[in-house]
Amino acid sequence: MNEFTPYIHNQLNDILSSLPLFRPELCLGILFLLVLVTDLIFGKQSDWIVRILACGGLLFVLAADVAQYKVFSGYTVSSFFNNNLLLHHTAIVLKMIIDAAAVIILLYMPWDVSLQSHPKGLSDAYTVIVASVLGMHLMVMSGTWLTIFLSVEMVSLASYLLVAYRSENSFSAEASLKYVLFGLASSAVMLYGISLFYGFTGTLALFDPKMVANLQQVSNSLSIGLAIVFILAGLGFKLSLVPLHFWVPDVYQGAATPVTAFLSTLPKIAAFGMLINFLTPFITSVGFITIFDFRLALSVAAIITLVAGNFAAIWQQNVKRMLAYSSIGHTGFGLMAIVTFSGQGITALNFYLAVYAIANIAALGLVSFFANAANAHTLNDYRGLGIKYPVASVSFVILVVSLTGLPVSAGFNAKLLVFSSVYSTYQQNHNIVLLLLLITGALTTVVSLFYYIKVPLNLFLKKPEDHQEGKPVSVSLVVFCALSAFVVLFLGLFPNFLAKFL
């Protein structure tokens, strides 16, 4: 027993020294317990209490992230909890984006009439979202295969619960079942890839020098490539990369619209953070490209995702389904920034994800608004509604302009940063794959205009129809979407207001 005493002492010291770096996550854990207990005490009448508590708590967590942001700048990296978690500038920025977007989602949820009228209430959904945010924090800080898998599963379970929240809706139930089955399959594939990696390297730590060194000593490079493909497949499912996107249209359409806003932004941002951690030890290792060319593999995936997502969106009539396919295309743009393997690319990615989260959540908020106000779900249902609801309609136009990437919008600046980072890397190494990425990104941006323009076309230029009378509209939802449209325009004119913090 005495021989274990120094080991136990060192482990305790490591845990105690790690706690200050884990402050935002400790706050999230406490917040989750408070929200859960409040829901249990007050029952169905606790919705507004739980909502206020969750939003206030997440703002407190965001403040803790800002405190960490001031300490970690540049390329400073700290590992803690026995190298299981990593803290660096990019992880903190992504945590801040996730927390801010989570607050917006929590505010938005009761403004969707179909979800707000749910007999179970919304307090359970608020609790699940807080728990999922904790999982996303762990995703962007994961430093070992163990934390990667556990954090992914934590977020996956929360996502399954949210998609199935409207269990009385048959379409929603079908979508949740499909999501669970595909999610379990992707987790199994990812776990198999992780087990292969552990067998090859003998370590769980991503940044252990032995990991890449031992991989390079494996005689069969095909086995290593297979393990990497399996792990990328698990991450690709979260990112909705083609061909792992097949669950997205049905799940996004079947879930409640605020849940669709959640799925299309927060888990995707966290998955990009995890992908950065996964790639870093390989791209910083000289000679590993001879075993597996990450740039080529991810560039091909980005090109296919850009083409498939944007072209499939053209044929959609249901607005939620159209935005689902467009989100696949936006994933391709995020991957474009990743494959630069540069600090400029990561900055572009952070800006892109922040702007995309604002515009996409607000656009889906307006989908809720028109569904509430006029029972409008398809593009044809939107005919003439621009005259009847001018503020909401103009806001929608501004948001789709940003999602398209047209000038004088934040989306234009975001795509410009991504293109600039890819072109800068291309100038350095003249990799033909990067040139193909640039051409594909430009062409698919033009393609996206063909389906995004259908929104203003139907709102303002098509003849009005006799719309069904919907339910009372939420003024708060209109104000939120109008403010989001203003932010999109403001960041289009003054991008440095946000970019300097990323």
Side-chain angles (χ1 to χ4, degrees):
M1 183 66 184
N2 290 334
E3 62 268 22
F4 293 109
T5 302
Y7 175 78
I8 296 172
H9 178 73
N10 292 336
Q11 290 297 310
L12 289 174
N13 285 338
D14 179 70
I15 292 172
L16 292 174
S17 62
S18 299
L19 290 177
L21 298 174
F22 202 59
R23 187 173 291 115
E25 290 68 42
L26 289 174
C27 294
L28 274 171
I30 295 170
L31 177 62
F32 169 71
L33 293 175
L34 287 174
V35 169
L36 183 63
V37 171
T38 302
D39 180 26
L40 292 174
I41 292 174
F42 293 97
K44 291 185 178 180
Q45 306 303 317
S46 66
D47 281 10
W48 67 275
I49 303 174
V50 171
R51 184 185 181 212
I52 293 173
L53 181 60
C55 290
L58 282 173
L59 290 175
F60 187 81
V61 172
L62 183 58
D65 290 332
V66 172
Q68 286 186 338
Y69 174 86
K70 294 177 180 178
V71 175
F72 286 81
S73 60
Y75 298 98
T76 304
V77 180
S78 288
S79 60
F80 55 104
F81 288 136
N82 198 24
N83 297 323
N84 278 283
L85 297 176
L86 303 168
L87 199 58
H88 47 83
H89 177 78
T90 301
I92 296 169
V93 169
L94 293 177
K95 288 197 299 180
M96 292 166 63
I97 296 172
I98 289 168
D99 293 342
V103 172
I104 295 173
I105 295 290
L106 290 173
L107 291 174
Y108 163 34
M109 291 189 78
W111 297 335
D112 183 84
V113 172
S114 63
L115 192 59
Q116 194 272 337
S117 59
H118 196 283
K120 291 190 296 186
L122 292 177
S123 54
D124 289 342
Y126 299 146
T127 307
V128 171
I129 287 177
V130 172
S132 71
V133 171
L134 175 57
M136 292 174 207
H137 275 224
L138 297 177
M139 282 179 70
V140 301
M141 295 193 302
S142 292
T144 65
W145 297 117
L146 180 63
T147 51
I148 282 178
F149 185 73
L150 291 178
S151 58
V152 166
E153 288 308 293
M154 187 174 179
V155 175
S156 296
L157 288 173
S159 301
Y160 302 154
L161 291 171
L162 289 172
V163 172
Y165 204 75
R166 293 192 308 173
S167 55
E168 79 289 348
N169 184 303
S170 59
F171 192 31
S172 179
E174 179 186 346
S176 64
L177 181 60
K178 181 179 293 187
Y179 188 32
V180 169
L181 292 176
F182 288 143
L184 291 176
S186 70
S187 296
V189 169
M190 184 178 181
L191 185 59
Y192 185 60
I194 290 173
S195 67
L196 287 175
F197 254 87
Y198 181 69
F200 292 144
T201 63
T203 179
L204 289 173
L206 283 174
F207 291 85
D208 188 336
K210 294 188 300 182
M211 188 189 74
V212 176
N214 289 345
L215 280 177
Q216 290 175 328
Q217 294 176 5
V218 176
S219 58
N220 189 352
S221 59
L222 181 62
S223 300
I224 299 174
L226 188 65
I228 292 173
V229 168
F230 283 165
I231 292 171
L232 289 177
L235 289 174
F237 180 84
K238 282 294 170 198
L239 289 168
S240 63
L241 296 176
V242 176
L244 300 162
H245 70 293
F246 37 75
W247 59 276
V248 171
D250 289 341
V251 172
Y252 281 21
Q253 185 179 354
T257 308
V259 174
T260 302
F262 169 87
L263 292 174
S264 63
T265 51
L266 275 73
K268 191 170 289 190
I269 295 169
F272 271 117
M274 180 177 285
L275 182 60
I276 292 170
N277 288 345
F278 168 67
L279 292 173
T280 300
F282 298 106
I283 63 178
T284 54
S285 173
V286 179
F288 193 81
I289 190 174
T290 59
I291 301 176
F292 190 89
D293 192 342
F294 279 101
R295 174 168 284 159
L296 176 62
L298 293 177
S299 296
V300 170
I303 291 171
I304 296 172
T305 301
L306 283 166
V307 172
N310 284 287
F311 275 94
I314 293 177
W315 313 109
Q316 307 306 314
Q317 283 298 313
N318 184 280
V319 182
K320 278 178 69 176
R321 200 173 182 88
M322 182 189 77
L323 291 175
Y325 277 109
S326 76
S327 75
I328 297 171
H330 285 288
T331 300
F333 273 102
L335 210 54
M336 280 179 64
I338 289 280
V339 298
T340 62
F341 300 152
S342 65
Q344 183 183 0
I346 298 303
T347 301
L349 175 67
N350 292 339
F351 187 87
Y352 193 94
L353 292 176
V355 168
Y356 167 73
I358 296 169
N360 203 61
I361 293 173
L364 285 164
L366 287 168
V367 171
S368 288
F369 172 83
F370 287 113
N372 297 343
N375 199 28
H377 299 281
T378 66
L379 289 166
N380 287 333
D381 294 337
Y382 280 25
R383 291 183 176 183
L385 290 178
I387 307 301
K388 191 173 182 180
Y389 305 105
V391 176
S393 300
V394 170
S395 299
F396 210 162
V397 172
I398 294 171
L399 292 168
V400 296
V401 163
S402 180
L403 289 170
T404 306
L406 297 180
V408 201
S409 70
F412 172 77
N413 292 325
K415 289 191 175 182
L416 183 63
L417 284 173
V418 172
F419 282 127
S420 298
S421 64
V422 176
Y423 183 69
S424 178
T425 305
Y426 170 73
Q427 283 186 313
Q428 295 172 14
N429 55 30
H430 298 285
N431 190 322
I432 190 65
V433 177
L434 294 177
L435 181 60
L436 291 175
L437 259 181
L438 286 170
I439 295 171
T440 305
L443 290 176
T444 51
T445 297
V446 175
V447 170
S448 68
L449 183 62
F450 283 92
Y451 59 83
Y452 279 130
I453 203 172
K454 293 178 182 179
V455 174
L457 180 68
N458 283 280
L459 285 173
F460 292 102
L461 299 180
K462 292 292 182 74
K463 292 181 179 180
E465 293 186 347
D466 294 330
H467 297 286
Q468 300 179 25
E469 286 299 324
K471 299 170 184 177
V473 297
S474 171
V475 176
S476 300
L477 181 56
V478 178
V479 172
F480 156 69
C481 295
L483 286 174
S484 299
F486 172 78
V487 170
V488 162
L489 286 178
F490 180 81
L491 292 177
L493 296 172
F494 306 101
N496 285 335
F497 185 83
L498 176 63
K500 64 182 179 182
F501 298 109
L502 305 176

